Every structure is written in structure tokens, then in C-alpha cells.
Amino acid sequence: MVVKIWRVNPEAPERDAIEEAAAIIVAGGLVAFPTETVYGLGANAFNEEAVRKIFAAKERPAWDPLIVHISHPDMVKDLAAVVPETFWRLAERLMPGPLTVVLPKRPKVPDAVTAGLPTVAIRMPKHPVALALIEAAGVPIAAPSANRFGRPSPTRAEHVLADLGDRIDGILDAGPTRVGVESTVVDLTATPPTILRPGGVSRETLAEILGEVAIAETPKREGEPMPSPGMTHRHYAPAVPLRLTEPSPQAVQDALLRFLAEHPQGKVGLLLPTDWREWVTPSERVVIFDWGEWGDWATMARRLFEGLRWLERQGVVAIFAPLPPPIGLGLALRDRLIKASGSDEIAR
Ligand code: TXA
Ligand code: MG
């Protein structure tokens, strides 16, 4: 199967491309589309069979529920059995935006979407292409990130093509995504509201709007119950080991030199802050991806998955990255890096 690719204007997508893609969704097919966070793999949320195709294409386990994408906050009423006042407060300030809310589901939302949970995750993406697609399809669109299960999320159409090109019907290509990490998932059925996955909206911003906000702990050991099914241990992972270091240029340099001495063969990749470059001794065995200025968490978030995928394509045997502090988008960066490395162990 040769996948159909529509190159569209990210600000004002071409009408005929959107109509064609929407027709595929309505007919029960799968279309990948850009959001402001990462590319999603979409199907009609009310079509159980189409939703099952998403799980097959991604090789995603059936216990990991999907986010349902809407094009207007009012569409929540069609999906959620109860809509608390907190939803409308968040909608006013943050929708569209990189935020997903978990609410009690209506019976008409298929179990395949929610993995049998009594709740449904809902989000209104801030991207003209995503909104136009949902509008044209006339149905909410269930969509996980458009990567094979466990791989880094796709921030470009090329990433979707590499992971899923032979398994889906089409890709709306609007260039690289702006935020680069996925939406923040917040459970509004919990008291206080609880962040299940840190993401594009910071905890600080949510706390401004909601008051007290809790953060769900990722269980330390494999096999312990998860607050959100998708919080598996190794996730977002490149094909080669990722090692985390303390957040200083000296720590990166030390860990790198030790690794090179202990492994006489192969190249090493670095996700390296722009302003730390002079600290690292140049070597033919070191491949550097420019991550953006340390402290510019928004730029580092935008480049994170791109960097992991790019470094793995350079044929490195390991990737090193310093672990940002849990401030603003730094919280989401930490979460993705720890999951991509498989543990919060620090290399020295
Ligand atoms: O930015 C994003 O959120 C992207 C774009 C495409 O919208 N989507 C995305 O979807 O990241 P996915 O499937 O890769 O991650 C969805 C997360 C998973 O961790 C899943 O377990 C959680 O949301 N989730 C979905 N429904 C849930 C529910 N009812 N209760 C708790 N967690 C839920
Ligand atoms: Mg995902």
C-alpha cells in the first residue's frame, strides 16, 4: 500500500486535501494529521472497528486508551457524561491547546477507545489542520501519537512515514510541530485534579486556573498499578540506549569520556544544549544534536523527539542527555527522558 500524502499549508490548509482526508475518516480509514504537539493517527471515535485499526497499525496494546480530539469545547457534551465546572474554566483559558482532560464517559464512546475504562480523555488541539479535519469529518477523532508503540513521538510527517507508512491510508503533512511534546493529561474526576502525564501546559499554569493540582506518581517498579495506563516504563525510546546525566556541562563531559574509554568502538550521540558546546572535547566518535539553549525549555521540548530520532539515524551506539529540572516544560522533558531511558538512573 502506498500511503497518500497531502502537503498542506499549516495556517490555511487546502480545502480539497482536508475533504479527501475527512472522507477517509468517515469511511472508517486511518489518517495521520499534525497537532501543535505531535502528529496523531486519527480514526472516527464512534467507529469501533476503525479504532481497532489504530491499535493494529501502532502495535499498541489494547489496555492503553486513546485521546478523543474535538474542534469545539461544546463537543465535550457528546462524549462526557458529567462536565464539571473545572472543565469550562480550563476551556476558556487553554482550549484549543496542549491539554487533555479525563472525564466520565458516555456509553456511546466505544470501549475500544477508552480501553474499557469508565472515563474518556478529551482534547481540542491548537492546529488549523487538525481543527479543519475534525470539522470536515463531522465526528470526534480518536488519535494517539502516530508512532509505533514505544517509539519517540513523531514531530514531522517523515517520522510518521518511517514508522507507519505502509499501514495507514494517508498523512496530512504540514511540516514540523510547534510544541514537540504531547499534551498534559489532567484527570478532572480526581480531587484535587491530578496530572497523569506532564506535557505542553505546565503544572504552574494549571494551578493558576484550578488552585491545587496533584501529580500522579509513576510507579517505581514494573507491575505496580498505573494511574494512567499509558505510563509504561520504557516509552518514547530510541533504538539505542539513552543515558541521563546531571544537569551540568561538566557532568555531560565526564560521563561521555568515561563511556568512550569503556567502549573502544562506536559513536556516541549527545542531546547537547547550544551553550554547552565549548565544554565538550570534539571527537570523531561524538555526534552532537543542537538541543537549544539550556533553560529555554520550549525550544528543547520542540527538538527532543526530533533529536532522538536524528541521533539514532547517525548510527550511534548510545545517546547521552542532561536531565532538566522540573520547572515549566522541564517537567515534561524529564518525564519523556526518564521513560525513554527506561529508568531515572544517572550516568556518571
Ligand atoms: O499531544 C497529544 O496528546 C497527542 C496528540 C496526537 O494529540 N496524543 C497523544 O496520545 O499523546 P497517546 O495515545 O500517545 O497518549 C495518550 C495518553 C496515554 O498515556 C493514555 O494512557 C492516556 O493518555 N489516557 C487516555 N485515555 C485515558 C483515560 N481515560 N484515563 C487515563 N489516561 C488516559
Ligand atoms: Mg504516544
Side-chain angles (χ1 to χ4, degrees):
M1 181 164 71
V2 180
V3 65
K4 170 92 193 183
I5 298 175
W6 303 272
R7 295 220 160 68
V8 292
N9 181 333
E11 297 307 324
E14 289 73 6
R15 203 60 239 164
D16 48 345
I18 294 294
E19 296 287 345
E20 265 182 62
I24 292 175
I25 296 280
V26 171
L30 302 184
V31 174
F33 62 96
T35 76
E36 79 279 37
T37 58
V38 301
Y39 276 74
L41 179 60
N44 176 355
F46 291 135
N47 180 337
E48 180 130 31
E49 204 185 309
V51 168
R52 287 192 197 289
K53 289 190 206 164
I54 293 179
F55 287 86
K58 282 191 58 132
E59 297 171 37
R60 180 180 175 112
W63 47 257
D64 194 0
L66 306 180
I67 295 172
V68 179
H69 295 69
I70 57 178
S71 54
H72 192 284
D74 282 346
M75 286 172 75
V76 72
K77 296 176 192 160
D78 210 20
L79 299 163
V82 181
V83 184
E85 171 270 333
T86 44
F87 173 86
W88 298 110
R89 255 196 281 161
L90 290 173
E92 195 173 296
R93 292 274 303 275
L94 298 173
M95 293 183 197
L99 178 71
T100 295
V101 297
V102 172
L103 293 172
K105 85 172 189 81
R106 281 193 184 279
K108 71 191 276 203
V109 179
D111 280 337
V113 171
T114 64
L117 292 174
T119 53
V120 58
I122 302 169
R123 137 164 159 85
M124 179 178 174
K126 191 174 186 171
H127 197 298
V129 176
L131 294 172
L133 180 67
I134 301 163
E135 279 292 300
V139 288
I141 294 183
S145 50
N147 50 280
R148 286 208 197 184
F149 186 71
R151 296 268 300 140
S153 294
T155 57
R156 293 176 179 272
E158 292 79 3
H159 302 158
V160 180
L161 191 63
D163 272 20
L164 302 173
D166 54 349
R167 303 173 171 201
I168 64 179
D169 300 303
I171 306 175
L172 283 161
D173 177 359
T177 60
R178 184 173 51 80
V179 177
V181 291
E182 301 87 341
S183 61
T184 300
V185 179
V186 59
D187 183 356
L188 293 183
T189 71
T191 315
T194 301
I195 294 175
L196 302 179
R197 177 180 72 181
V201 170
S202 69
R203 165 180 43 174
E204 293 87 338
T205 300
L206 286 177
E208 256 173 50
I209 300 170
L210 296 175
E212 197 189 346
V213 174
I215 300 184
E217 289 279 326
T218 307
K220 279 271 180 253
R221 275 181 299 278
E222 207 78 49
E224 279 181 28
M226 305 270 170
S228 179
M231 289 171 92
T232 47
H233 289 263
R234 197 160 149 83
H235 213 118
Y236 314 111
V240 298
L242 172 66
R243 294 172 177 237
L244 307 176
T245 76
E246 296 288 354
S248 80
Q250 192 60 55
V252 173
Q253 165 80 342
D254 289 351
L256 175 68
L257 290 181
R258 174 154 309 129
F259 185 90
L260 290 172
E262 286 169 2
H263 301 79
Q265 304 284 318
K267 289 186 288 184
V268 178
L270 294 184
L271 272 182
L272 192 66
T274 316
D275 43 331
W276 294 11
R277 211 157 181 141
E278 64 198 87
W279 288 77
V280 174
T281 316
S283 155
E284 274 174 12
R285 294 186 57 204
V286 178
V287 185
I288 292 173
F289 179 83
D290 177 9
W291 202 5
E293 299 281 322
W294 183 254
D296 180 1
W297 313 129
T299 300
M300 290 168 65
R302 178 159 58 243
R303 295 183 186 172
L304 172 69
F305 290 133
E306 159 105 59
L308 292 176
R309 282 182 181 258
W310 184 82
L311 285 170
E312 103 187 359
R313 283 201 308 276
Q314 308 312 306
V316 300
V317 296
I319 298 172
F320 283 77
L323 195 57
I327 302 163
L329 279 185
L331 188 68
L333 282 167
R334 278 177 80 84
D335 172 77
R336 303 306 185 272
L337 284 166
I338 288 170
K339 292 204 177 99
S341 85
S343 87
D344 58 3
E345 214 172 288
I346 298 291
R348 295 185 193 277

